[in-house]
Amino acid sequence: METFEIFSAARLRDFPLLLASARQVHAVWHPPRFVVAVPSQDQGAVQAGLAGLATVVDENSLLQGFDRKAFQRRPIPHFPQSFGWYLQQFLKMEFCCQSRSPYCLVWDADTVPLKSLRFLDGQGRIHLTQAAEFHQPYFRTIEGLFGRPAPARTSFISQHMFVRTDSMRSLCALVRERHGGGHWTDALGDILESHPDRANLFSEYETYANYMLMFEPGDVAVRTLAWERSESRRTWGIPGEQIEDARRRGLDFAAYESPNALPSRIFLKSLEKAPSILKRLAVTFVLRQSADGGRMGAV
């Protein structure tokens, strides 16, 4: 059976869903290393809340060679407000580039695995999981990065990607070489500035999958899994019965997105710049609420 590290990116406002996800990730895979990257000011509180489940790191430790402030100043549509949406994608790719493990599983922080999935087929090929979403601007960006049209006619935004780390390093190196050196995000930033579309212009999932289909097609196999993305309005996490219902319906995994207007999300977001003691109290409260009614069902 393949061994791999697991990586998620999150913020304090994501903690209730991250907790549910981390508990089930740990129960399903028992990973040798599960790393969660958060902003530096959230690291202590989130690490305390995930004790024993994951190692929480300062996201800045992964951003080697990336000029964060310069990127935020770029005239990219909806910047700087949408910078965080791009940043979490950069973190996923950077973690894979820097990992010493041959494989990494990038797993979205709001997604709960419902069974132990395998990510290599019998021939050792990486599984790429199909999705229903298809956003054309992502594919225009891919063509700009690699100089040829993306081969996929489907989406791979499936809440996770299983990455061969040397392939991710090769991807970023190719982008650097094609666009004159520097950090690979420099080339991406140039493309986004002149992009004909106006929003949501890059996907790490689509970019990695299409790179593999272009340059290492013999090393990947496309598959379909049973999964769903739904809105979770529970205040402090995901009820165990909701997870059990998804499992009874035969789903392999499920994503639960909290609306930005959810009071608990607004509350935690308001604490992201607060003193650490207040964040730790909030995390403790979430843990107690979860213990009362939000624990995962057995795998």
Side-chain angles (χ1 to χ4, degrees), residues 194-229:
S194 58
H195 208 288
D197 302 291
R198 299 304 300 165
N200 298 344
L201 307 179
F202 174 73
S203 166
E204 79 284 45
Y205 291 141
E206 305 289 37
T207 300
Y208 177 72
N210 278 276
Y211 170 84
M212 295 299 290
L213 291 170
M214 287 181 196
F215 299 102
E216 302 181 33
D219 294 331
V220 294
V222 176
R223 69 173 173 183
T224 301
L225 294 176
W227 64 281
E228 68 180 14
R229 181 189 291 121

PDB file of all heavy atoms in Angstrom, residues 194-229:
ATOM      1  N   SER A 194      -2.984  39.871 -17.414  1.00  0.00           N
ATOM      2  CA  SER A 194      -3.467  40.125 -18.778  1.00  0.00           C
ATOM      3  C   SER A 194      -4.580  39.164 -19.186  1.00  0.00           C
ATOM      4  O   SER A 194      -4.920  39.066 -20.368  1.00  0.00           O
ATOM      5  CB  SER A 194      -2.302  39.999 -19.762  1.00  0.00           C
ATOM      6  OG  SER A 194      -1.713  38.708 -19.684  1.00  0.00           O
ATOM      7  N   HIS A 195      -5.147  38.489 -18.231  1.00  0.00           N
ATOM      8  CA  HIS A 195      -6.157  37.468 -18.520  1.00  0.00           C
ATOM      9  C   HIS A 195      -7.426  38.110 -19.074  1.00  0.00           C
ATOM     10  O   HIS A 195      -7.864  39.148 -18.587  1.00  0.00           O
ATOM     11  CB  HIS A 195      -6.491  36.698 -17.244  1.00  0.00           C
ATOM     12  CG  HIS A 195      -6.961  35.295 -17.475  1.00  0.00           C
ATOM     13  ND1 HIS A 195      -8.199  35.008 -17.999  1.00  0.00           N
ATOM     14  CD2 HIS A 195      -6.363  34.094 -17.260  1.00  0.00           C
ATOM     15  CE1 HIS A 195      -8.348  33.693 -18.080  1.00  0.00           C
ATOM     16  NE2 HIS A 195      -7.243  33.117 -17.639  1.00  0.00           N
ATOM     17  N   PRO A 196      -8.043  37.505 -20.101  1.00  0.00           N
ATOM     18  CA  PRO A 196      -9.264  38.095 -20.669  1.00  0.00           C
ATOM     19  C   PRO A 196     -10.483  37.955 -19.772  1.00  0.00           C
ATOM     20  O   PRO A 196     -11.473  38.673 -19.950  1.00  0.00           O
ATOM     21  CB  PRO A 196      -9.466  37.308 -21.970  1.00  0.00           C
ATOM     22  CG  PRO A 196      -8.786  36.001 -21.725  1.00  0.00           C
ATOM     23  CD  PRO A 196      -7.610  36.322 -20.867  1.00  0.00           C
ATOM     24  N   ASP A 197     -10.435  37.047 -18.808  1.00  0.00           N
ATOM     25  CA  ASP A 197     -11.554  36.870 -17.882  1.00  0.00           C
ATOM     26  C   ASP A 197     -11.330  37.711 -16.635  1.00  0.00           C
ATOM     27  O   ASP A 197     -10.252  38.276 -16.438  1.00  0.00           O
ATOM     28  CB  ASP A 197     -11.716  35.390 -17.545  1.00  0.00           C
ATOM     29  CG  ASP A 197     -11.952  34.555 -18.798  1.00  0.00           C
ATOM     30  OD1 ASP A 197     -13.027  34.699 -19.393  1.00  0.00           O
ATOM     31  OD2 ASP A 197     -11.050  33.785 -19.183  1.00  0.00           O
ATOM     32  N   ARG A 198     -12.328  37.759 -15.764  1.00  0.00           N
ATOM     33  CA  ARG A 198     -12.268  38.727 -14.669  1.00  0.00           C
ATOM     34  C   ARG A 198     -12.214  38.127 -13.266  1.00  0.00           C
ATOM     35  O   ARG A 198     -12.005  38.854 -12.305  1.00  0.00           O
ATOM     36  CB  ARG A 198     -13.487  39.664 -14.745  1.00  0.00           C
ATOM     37  CG  ARG A 198     -13.573  40.469 -16.019  1.00  0.00           C
ATOM     38  CD  ARG A 198     -12.324  41.298 -16.277  1.00  0.00           C
ATOM     39  NE  ARG A 198     -12.059  42.250 -15.203  1.00  0.00           N
ATOM     40  CZ  ARG A 198     -10.899  42.876 -15.037  1.00  0.00           C
ATOM     41  NH1 ARG A 198      -9.883  42.599 -15.840  1.00  0.00           N
ATOM     42  NH2 ARG A 198     -10.750  43.749 -14.064  1.00  0.00           N
ATOM     43  N   ALA A 199     -12.458  36.843 -13.108  1.00  0.00           N
ATOM     44  CA  ALA A 199     -12.463  36.293 -11.745  1.00  0.00           C
ATOM     45  C   ALA A 199     -12.179  34.795 -11.786  1.00  0.00           C
ATOM     46  O   ALA A 199     -12.476  34.126 -12.778  1.00  0.00           O
ATOM     47  CB  ALA A 199     -13.810  36.553 -11.081  1.00  0.00           C
ATOM     48  N   ASN A 200     -11.607  34.291 -10.668  1.00  0.00           N
ATOM     49  CA  ASN A 200     -11.339  32.859 -10.522  1.00  0.00           C
ATOM     50  C   ASN A 200     -10.570  32.334 -11.736  1.00  0.00           C
ATOM     51  O   ASN A 200     -11.083  31.588 -12.560  1.00  0.00           O
ATOM     52  CB  ASN A 200     -12.637  32.075 -10.340  1.00  0.00           C
ATOM     53  CG  ASN A 200     -13.392  32.479  -9.097  1.00  0.00           C
ATOM     54  OD1 ASN A 200     -12.865  33.120  -8.211  1.00  0.00           O
ATOM     55  ND2 ASN A 200     -14.658  32.099  -9.033  1.00  0.00           N
ATOM     56  N   LEU A 201      -9.303  32.694 -11.791  1.00  0.00           N
ATOM     57  CA  LEU A 201      -8.520  32.478 -13.010  1.00  0.00           C
ATOM     58  C   LEU A 201      -7.524  31.326 -12.922  1.00  0.00           C
ATOM     59  O   LEU A 201      -6.856  31.030 -13.904  1.00  0.00           O
ATOM     60  CB  LEU A 201      -7.759  33.768 -13.349  1.00  0.00           C
ATOM     61  CG  LEU A 201      -8.600  35.041 -13.438  1.00  0.00           C
ATOM     62  CD1 LEU A 201      -7.711  36.240 -13.753  1.00  0.00           C
ATOM     63  CD2 LEU A 201      -9.710  34.892 -14.469  1.00  0.00           C
ATOM     64  N   PHE A 202      -7.404  30.686 -11.771  1.00  0.00           N
ATOM     65  CA  PHE A 202      -6.381  29.652 -11.605  1.00  0.00           C
ATOM     66  C   PHE A 202      -6.890  28.551 -10.701  1.00  0.00           C
ATOM     67  O   PHE A 202      -7.562  28.817  -9.699  1.00  0.00           O
ATOM     68  CB  PHE A 202      -5.111  30.265 -11.003  1.00  0.00           C
ATOM     69  CG  PHE A 202      -4.044  29.256 -10.651  1.00  0.00           C
ATOM     70  CD1 PHE A 202      -3.314  28.634 -11.647  1.00  0.00           C
ATOM     71  CD2 PHE A 202      -3.765  28.944  -9.331  1.00  0.00           C
ATOM     72  CE1 PHE A 202      -2.321  27.702 -11.335  1.00  0.00           C
ATOM     73  CE2 PHE A 202      -2.779  28.025  -9.001  1.00  0.00           C
ATOM     74  CZ  PHE A 202      -2.053  27.401 -10.011  1.00  0.00           C
ATOM     75  N   SER A 203      -6.581  27.324 -11.047  1.00  0.00           N
ATOM     76  CA  SER A 203      -6.886  26.173 -10.193  1.00  0.00           C
ATOM     77  C   SER A 203      -5.668  25.277 -10.096  1.00  0.00           C
ATOM     78  O   SER A 203      -5.145  24.802 -11.110  1.00  0.00           O
ATOM     79  CB  SER A 203      -8.062  25.371 -10.753  1.00  0.00           C
ATOM     80  OG  SER A 203      -8.140  24.094 -10.117  1.00  0.00           O
ATOM     81  N   GLU A 204      -5.202  25.051  -8.872  1.00  0.00           N
ATOM     82  CA  GLU A 204      -4.078  24.152  -8.665  1.00  0.00           C
ATOM     83  C   GLU A 204      -4.426  22.726  -9.084  1.00  0.00           C
ATOM     84  O   GLU A 204      -3.598  22.003  -9.664  1.00  0.00           O
ATOM     85  CB  GLU A 204      -3.605  24.209  -7.206  1.00  0.00           C
ATOM     86  CG  GLU A 204      -4.433  23.428  -6.193  1.00  0.00           C
ATOM     87  CD  GLU A 204      -5.747  24.091  -5.800  1.00  0.00           C
ATOM     88  OE1 GLU A 204      -6.462  24.577  -6.691  1.00  0.00           O
ATOM     89  OE2 GLU A 204      -6.068  24.085  -4.599  1.00  0.00           O
ATOM     90  N   TYR A 205      -5.682  22.304  -8.845  1.00  0.00           N
ATOM     91  CA  TYR A 205      -6.103  20.955  -9.199  1.00  0.00           C
ATOM     92  C   TYR A 205      -6.095  20.747 -10.720  1.00  0.00           C
ATOM     93  O   TYR A 205      -5.575  19.745 -11.223  1.00  0.00           O
ATOM     94  CB  TYR A 205      -7.511  20.680  -8.662  1.00  0.00           C
ATOM     95  CG  TYR A 205      -7.601  20.584  -7.157  1.00  0.00           C
ATOM     96  CD1 TYR A 205      -8.680  21.131  -6.467  1.00  0.00           C
ATOM     97  CD2 TYR A 205      -6.621  19.941  -6.416  1.00  0.00           C
ATOM     98  CE1 TYR A 205      -8.776  21.031  -5.087  1.00  0.00           C
ATOM     99  CE2 TYR A 205      -6.700  19.840  -5.041  1.00  0.00           C
ATOM    100  CZ  TYR A 205      -7.791  20.383  -4.383  1.00  0.00           C
ATOM    101  OH  TYR A 205      -7.875  20.281  -3.016  1.00  0.00           O
ATOM    102  N   GLU A 206      -6.703  21.683 -11.445  1.00  0.00           N
ATOM    103  CA  GLU A 206      -6.738  21.560 -12.904  1.00  0.00           C
ATOM    104  C   GLU A 206      -5.333  21.652 -13.490  1.00  0.00           C
ATOM    105  O   GLU A 206      -4.990  20.942 -14.443  1.00  0.00           O
ATOM    106  CB  GLU A 206      -7.611  22.666 -13.517  1.00  0.00           C
ATOM    107  CG  GLU A 206      -9.032  22.744 -12.988  1.00  0.00           C
ATOM    108  CD  GLU A 206      -9.939  21.610 -13.433  1.00  0.00           C
ATOM    109  OE1 GLU A 206      -9.469  20.465 -13.536  1.00  0.00           O
ATOM    110  OE2 GLU A 206     -11.133  21.881 -13.654  1.00  0.00           O
ATOM    111  N   THR A 207      -4.505  22.532 -12.927  1.00  0.00           N
ATOM    112  CA  THR A 207      -3.155  22.719 -13.450  1.00  0.00           C
ATOM    113  C   THR A 207      -2.315  21.452 -13.291  1.00  0.00           C
ATOM    114  O   THR A 207      -1.646  21.003 -14.235  1.00  0.00           O
ATOM    115  CB  THR A 207      -2.472  23.906 -12.755  1.00  0.00           C
ATOM    116  OG1 THR A 207      -3.241  25.096 -12.998  1.00  0.00           O
ATOM    117  CG2 THR A 207      -1.056  24.113 -13.265  1.00  0.00           C
ATOM    118  N   TYR A 208      -2.346  20.848 -12.094  1.00  0.00           N
ATOM    119  CA  TYR A 208      -1.554  19.628 -11.883  1.00  0.00           C
ATOM    120  C   TYR A 208      -2.074  18.482 -12.740  1.00  0.00           C
ATOM    121  O   TYR A 208      -1.296  17.776 -13.396  1.00  0.00           O
ATOM    122  CB  TYR A 208      -1.572  19.221 -10.411  1.00  0.00           C
ATOM    123  CG  TYR A 208      -0.833  17.929 -10.166  1.00  0.00           C
ATOM    124  CD1 TYR A 208       0.553  17.882 -10.227  1.00  0.00           C
ATOM    125  CD2 TYR A 208      -1.521  16.743  -9.908  1.00  0.00           C
ATOM    126  CE1 TYR A 208       1.243  16.690 -10.043  1.00  0.00           C
ATOM    127  CE2 TYR A 208      -0.850  15.551  -9.723  1.00  0.00           C
ATOM    128  CZ  TYR A 208       0.534  15.531  -9.785  1.00  0.00           C
ATOM    129  OH  TYR A 208       1.210  14.356  -9.611  1.00  0.00           O
ATOM    130  N   ALA A 209      -3.394  18.285 -12.776  1.00  0.00           N
ATOM    131  CA  ALA A 209      -3.953  17.174 -13.552  1.00  0.00           C
ATOM    132  C   ALA A 209      -3.617  17.312 -15.032  1.00  0.00           C
ATOM    133  O   ALA A 209      -3.229  16.337 -15.693  1.00  0.00           O
ATOM    134  CB  ALA A 209      -5.466  17.107 -13.344  1.00  0.00           C
ATOM    135  N   ASN A 210      -3.754  18.516 -15.571  1.00  0.00           N
ATOM    136  CA  ASN A 210      -3.478  18.703 -16.993  1.00  0.00           C
ATOM    137  C   ASN A 210      -1.989  18.624 -17.298  1.00  0.00           C
ATOM    138  O   ASN A 210      -1.603  18.180 -18.385  1.00  0.00           O
ATOM    139  CB  ASN A 210      -4.090  20.014 -17.468  1.00  0.00           C
ATOM    140  CG  ASN A 210      -5.564  19.872 -17.769  1.00  0.00           C
ATOM    141  OD1 ASN A 210      -5.963  19.451 -18.839  1.00  0.00           O
ATOM    142  ND2 ASN A 210      -6.397  20.199 -16.776  1.00  0.00           N
ATOM    143  N   TYR A 211      -1.135  19.052 -16.362  1.00  0.00           N
ATOM    144  CA  TYR A 211       0.308  18.853 -16.552  1.00  0.00           C
ATOM    145  C   TYR A 211       0.607  17.362 -16.695  1.00  0.00           C
ATOM    146  O   TYR A 211       1.350  16.949 -17.602  1.00  0.00           O
ATOM    147  CB  TYR A 211       1.092  19.433 -15.371  1.00  0.00           C
ATOM    148  CG  TYR A 211       2.553  19.050 -15.401  1.00  0.00           C
ATOM    149  CD1 TYR A 211       3.461  19.773 -16.159  1.00  0.00           C
ATOM    150  CD2 TYR A 211       3.009  17.931 -14.698  1.00  0.00           C
ATOM    151  CE1 TYR A 211       4.803  19.399 -16.214  1.00  0.00           C
ATOM    152  CE2 TYR A 211       4.339  17.544 -14.747  1.00  0.00           C
ATOM    153  CZ  TYR A 211       5.234  18.290 -15.506  1.00  0.00           C
ATOM    154  OH  TYR A 211       6.550  17.907 -15.569  1.00  0.00           O
ATOM    155  N   MET A 212       0.025  16.550 -15.809  1.00  0.00           N
ATOM    156  CA  MET A 212       0.277  15.113 -15.868  1.00  0.00           C
ATOM    157  C   MET A 212      -0.254  14.521 -17.174  1.00  0.00           C
ATOM    158  O   MET A 212       0.403  13.674 -17.787  1.00  0.00           O
ATOM    159  CB  MET A 212      -0.365  14.423 -14.661  1.00  0.00           C
ATOM    160  CG  MET A 212       0.227  14.821 -13.317  1.00  0.00           C
ATOM    161  SD  MET A 212       1.993  14.423 -13.158  1.00  0.00           S
ATOM    162  CE  MET A 212       1.932  12.618 -13.072  1.00  0.00           C
ATOM    163  N   LEU A 213      -1.424  14.956 -17.619  1.00  0.00           N
ATOM    164  CA  LEU A 213      -1.988  14.442 -18.864  1.00  0.00           C
ATOM    165  C   LEU A 213      -1.161  14.862 -20.082  1.00  0.00           C
ATOM    166  O   LEU A 213      -1.106  14.143 -21.078  1.00  0.00           O
ATOM    167  CB  LEU A 213      -3.430  14.924 -19.011  1.00  0.00           C
ATOM    168  CG  LEU A 213      -4.435  14.315 -18.026  1.00  0.00           C
ATOM    169  CD1 LEU A 213      -5.763  15.056 -18.105  1.00  0.00           C
ATOM    170  CD2 LEU A 213      -4.639  12.827 -18.285  1.00  0.00           C
ATOM    171  N   MET A 214      -0.499  16.029 -19.992  1.00  0.00           N
ATOM    172  CA  MET A 214       0.340  16.503 -21.094  1.00  0.00           C
ATOM    173  C   MET A 214       1.692  15.801 -21.133  1.00  0.00           C
ATOM    174  O   MET A 214       2.144  15.333 -22.188  1.00  0.00           O
ATOM    175  CB  MET A 214       0.597  18.010 -20.952  1.00  0.00           C
ATOM    176  CG  MET A 214      -0.546  18.921 -21.260  1.00  0.00           C
ATOM    177  SD  MET A 214       0.029  20.655 -21.050  1.00  0.00           S
ATOM    178  CE  MET A 214      -1.529  21.520 -20.972  1.00  0.00           C
ATOM    179  N   PHE A 215       2.362  15.767 -19.986  1.00  0.00           N
ATOM    180  CA  PHE A 215       3.777  15.407 -19.964  1.00  0.00           C
ATOM    181  C   PHE A 215       4.082  14.039 -19.358  1.00  0.00           C
ATOM    182  O   PHE A 215       5.159  13.495 -19.594  1.00  0.00           O
ATOM    183  CB  PHE A 215       4.561  16.487 -19.205  1.00  0.00           C
ATOM    184  CG  PHE A 215       4.462  17.846 -19.833  1.00  0.00           C
ATOM    185  CD1 PHE A 215       3.617  18.813 -19.311  1.00  0.00           C
ATOM    186  CD2 PHE A 215       5.191  18.148 -20.968  1.00  0.00           C
ATOM    187  CE1 PHE A 215       3.515  20.077 -19.894  1.00  0.00           C
ATOM    188  CE2 PHE A 215       5.104  19.392 -21.570  1.00  0.00           C
ATOM    189  CZ  PHE A 215       4.250  20.366 -21.036  1.00  0.00           C
ATOM    190  N   GLU A 216       3.167  13.488 -18.575  1.00  0.00           N
ATOM    191  CA  GLU A 216       3.378  12.167 -17.976  1.00  0.00           C
ATOM    192  C   GLU A 216       2.104  11.331 -18.091  1.00  0.00           C
ATOM    193  O   GLU A 216       1.620  10.787 -17.104  1.00  0.00           O
ATOM    194  CB  GLU A 216       3.807  12.321 -16.509  1.00  0.00           C
ATOM    195  CG  GLU A 216       5.082  13.154 -16.321  1.00  0.00           C
ATOM    196  CD  GLU A 216       5.500  13.282 -14.864  1.00  0.00           C
ATOM    197  OE1 GLU A 216       5.266  12.328 -14.089  1.00  0.00           O
ATOM    198  OE2 GLU A 216       6.051  14.337 -14.501  1.00  0.00           O
ATOM    199  N   PRO A 217       1.528  11.238 -19.287  1.00  0.00           N
ATOM    200  CA  PRO A 217       0.216  10.594 -19.433  1.00  0.00           C
ATOM    201  C   PRO A 217       0.204   9.120 -19.059  1.00  0.00           C
ATOM    202  O   PRO A 217      -0.841   8.591 -18.644  1.00  0.00           O
ATOM    203  CB  PRO A 217      -0.111  10.796 -20.919  1.00  0.00           C
ATOM    204  CG  PRO A 217       1.215  10.973 -21.588  1.00  0.00           C
ATOM    205  CD  PRO A 217       2.054  11.725 -20.590  1.00  0.00           C
ATOM    206  N   GLY A 218       1.325   8.451 -19.187  1.00  0.00           N
ATOM    207  CA  GLY A 218       1.374   7.040 -18.840  1.00  0.00           C
ATOM    208  C   GLY A 218       1.386   6.779 -17.350  1.00  0.00           C
ATOM    209  O   GLY A 218       1.286   5.621 -16.919  1.00  0.00           O
ATOM    210  N   ASP A 219       1.503   7.852 -16.557  1.00  0.00           N
ATOM    211  CA  ASP A 219       1.604   7.696 -15.106  1.00  0.00           C
ATOM    212  C   ASP A 219       0.325   8.056 -14.370  1.00  0.00           C
ATOM    213  O   ASP A 219       0.326   8.129 -13.137  1.00  0.00           O
ATOM    214  CB  ASP A 219       2.755   8.567 -14.573  1.00  0.00           C
ATOM    215  CG  ASP A 219       4.118   8.087 -15.061  1.00  0.00           C
ATOM    216  OD1 ASP A 219       4.257   6.874 -15.311  1.00  0.00           O
ATOM    217  OD2 ASP A 219       5.028   8.924 -15.207  1.00  0.00           O
ATOM    218  N   VAL A 220      -0.759   8.309 -15.099  1.00  0.00           N
ATOM    219  CA  VAL A 220      -2.024   8.682 -14.459  1.00  0.00           C
ATOM    220  C   VAL A 220      -3.172   7.858 -15.023  1.00  0.00           C
ATOM    221  O   VAL A 220      -3.121   7.377 -16.160  1.00  0.00           O
ATOM    222  CB  VAL A 220      -2.339  10.188 -14.622  1.00  0.00           C
ATOM    223  CG1 VAL A 220      -1.329  11.040 -13.878  1.00  0.00           C
ATOM    224  CG2 VAL A 220      -2.396  10.587 -16.090  1.00  0.00           C
ATOM    225  N   ALA A 221      -4.200   7.694 -14.212  1.00  0.00           N
ATOM    226  CA  ALA A 221      -5.428   7.014 -14.624  1.00  0.00           C
ATOM    227  C   ALA A 221      -6.606   7.824 -14.098  1.00  0.00           C
ATOM    228  O   ALA A 221      -6.630   8.203 -12.917  1.00  0.00           O
ATOM    229  CB  ALA A 221      -5.467   5.596 -14.062  1.00  0.00           C
ATOM    230  N   VAL A 222      -7.563   8.125 -14.958  1.00  0.00           N
ATOM    231  CA  VAL A 222      -8.727   8.921 -14.576  1.00  0.00           C
ATOM    232  C   VAL A 222      -9.796   8.012 -13.984  1.00  0.00           C
ATOM    233  O   VAL A 222     -10.075   6.931 -14.516  1.00  0.00           O
ATOM    234  CB  VAL A 222      -9.286   9.678 -15.793  1.00  0.00           C
ATOM    235  CG1 VAL A 222     -10.559  10.430 -15.429  1.00  0.00           C
ATOM    236  CG2 VAL A 222      -8.235  10.643 -16.340  1.00  0.00           C
ATOM    237  N   ARG A 223     -10.381   8.453 -12.882  1.00  0.00           N
ATOM    238  CA  ARG A 223     -11.442   7.663 -12.267  1.00  0.00           C
ATOM    239  C   ARG A 223     -12.578   8.567 -11.791  1.00  0.00           C
ATOM    240  O   ARG A 223     -12.425   9.791 -11.693  1.00  0.00           O
ATOM    241  CB  ARG A 223     -10.922   6.853 -11.081  1.00  0.00           C
ATOM    242  CG  ARG A 223     -10.533   7.693  -9.862  1.00  0.00           C
ATOM    243  CD  ARG A 223     -10.200   6.798  -8.690  1.00  0.00           C
ATOM    244  NE  ARG A 223      -9.668   7.557  -7.553  1.00  0.00           N
ATOM    245  CZ  ARG A 223      -9.236   6.996  -6.423  1.00  0.00           C
ATOM    246  NH1 ARG A 223      -9.269   5.675  -6.290  1.00  0.00           N
ATOM    247  NH2 ARG A 223      -8.762   7.736  -5.437  1.00  0.00           N
ATOM    248  N   THR A 224     -13.693   7.936 -11.460  1.00  0.00           N
ATOM    249  CA  THR A 224     -14.844   8.633 -10.903  1.00  0.00           C
ATOM    250  C   THR A 224     -15.141   8.061  -9.521  1.00  0.00           C
ATOM    251  O   THR A 224     -15.181   6.837  -9.352  1.00  0.00           O
ATOM    252  CB  THR A 224     -16.077   8.468 -11.806  1.00  0.00           C
ATOM    253  OG1 THR A 224     -15.779   9.001 -13.107  1.00  0.00           O
ATOM    254  CG2 THR A 224     -17.272   9.204 -11.229  1.00  0.00           C
ATOM    255  N   LEU A 225     -15.336   8.934  -8.547  1.00  0.00           N
ATOM    256  CA  LEU A 225     -15.736   8.528  -7.200  1.00  0.00           C
ATOM    257  C   LEU A 225     -17.100   9.127  -6.875  1.00  0.00           C
ATOM    258  O   LEU A 225     -17.543  10.081  -7.521  1.00  0.00           O
ATOM    259  CB  LEU A 225     -14.701   8.999  -6.170  1.00  0.00           C
ATOM    260  CG  LEU A 225     -13.306   8.367  -6.252  1.00  0.00           C
ATOM    261  CD1 LEU A 225     -12.371   9.019  -5.234  1.00  0.00           C
ATOM    262  CD2 LEU A 225     -13.365   6.858  -6.015  1.00  0.00           C
ATOM    263  N   ALA A 226     -17.735   8.557  -5.866  1.00  0.00           N
ATOM    264  CA  ALA A 226     -19.033   9.065  -5.410  1.00  0.00           C
ATOM    265  C   ALA A 226     -18.795  10.097  -4.312  1.00  0.00           C
ATOM    266  O   ALA A 226     -18.311   9.751  -3.224  1.00  0.00           O
ATOM    267  CB  ALA A 226     -19.898   7.917  -4.890  1.00  0.00           C
ATOM    268  N   TRP A 227     -19.094  11.361  -4.609  1.00  0.00           N
ATOM    269  CA  TRP A 227     -18.900  12.401  -3.610  1.00  0.00           C
ATOM    270  C   TRP A 227     -19.845  13.550  -3.879  1.00  0.00           C
ATOM    271  O   TRP A 227     -20.466  13.624  -4.937  1.00  0.00           O
ATOM    272  CB  TRP A 227     -17.452  12.907  -3.586  1.00  0.00           C
ATOM    273  CG  TRP A 227     -16.982  13.586  -4.835  1.00  0.00           C
ATOM    274  CD1 TRP A 227     -16.577  12.990  -5.997  1.00  0.00           C
ATOM    275  CD2 TRP A 227     -16.862  14.997  -5.050  1.00  0.00           C
ATOM    276  NE1 TRP A 227     -16.201  13.939  -6.925  1.00  0.00           N
ATOM    277  CE2 TRP A 227     -16.368  15.178  -6.375  1.00  0.00           C
ATOM    278  CE3 TRP A 227     -17.107  16.114  -4.266  1.00  0.00           C
ATOM    279  CZ2 TRP A 227     -16.123  16.438  -6.911  1.00  0.00           C
ATOM    280  CZ3 TRP A 227     -16.863  17.371  -4.795  1.00  0.00           C
ATOM    281  CH2 TRP A 227     -16.370  17.527  -6.101  1.00  0.00           C
ATOM    282  N   GLU A 228     -19.979  14.430  -2.903  1.00  0.00           N
ATOM    283  CA  GLU A 228     -20.850  15.584  -3.065  1.00  0.00           C
ATOM    284  C   GLU A 228     -20.281  16.775  -2.315  1.00  0.00           C
ATOM    285  O   GLU A 228     -19.515  16.628  -1.363  1.00  0.00           O
ATOM    286  CB  GLU A 228     -22.268  15.288  -2.568  1.00  0.00           C
ATOM    287  CG  GLU A 228     -22.388  15.100  -1.063  1.00  0.00           C
ATOM    288  CD  GLU A 228     -23.814  14.817  -0.609  1.00  0.00           C
ATOM    289  OE1 GLU A 228     -24.669  14.512  -1.472  1.00  0.00           O
ATOM    290  OE2 GLU A 228     -24.071  14.889   0.614  1.00  0.00           O
ATOM    291  N   ARG A 229     -20.667  17.963  -2.782  1.00  0.00           N
ATOM    292  CA  ARG A 229     -20.340  19.214  -2.109  1.00  0.00           C
ATOM    293  C   ARG A 229     -21.662  19.841  -1.666  1.00  0.00           C
ATOM    294  O   ARG A 229     -22.565  20.015  -2.483  1.00  0.00           O
ATOM    295  CB  ARG A 229     -19.589  20.148  -3.058  1.00  0.00           C
ATOM    296  CG  ARG A 229     -19.182  21.468  -2.411  1.00  0.00           C
ATOM    297  CD  ARG A 229     -18.642  22.437  -3.450  1.00  0.00           C
ATOM    298  NE  ARG A 229     -17.357  22.021  -3.984  1.00  0.00           N
ATOM    299  CZ  ARG A 229     -17.122  21.790  -5.252  1.00  0.00           C
ATOM    300  NH1 ARG A 229     -18.109  21.877  -6.138  1.00  0.00           N
ATOM    301  NH2 ARG A 229     -15.919  21.444  -5.670  1.00  0.00           N
TER     302      ARG A 229
END
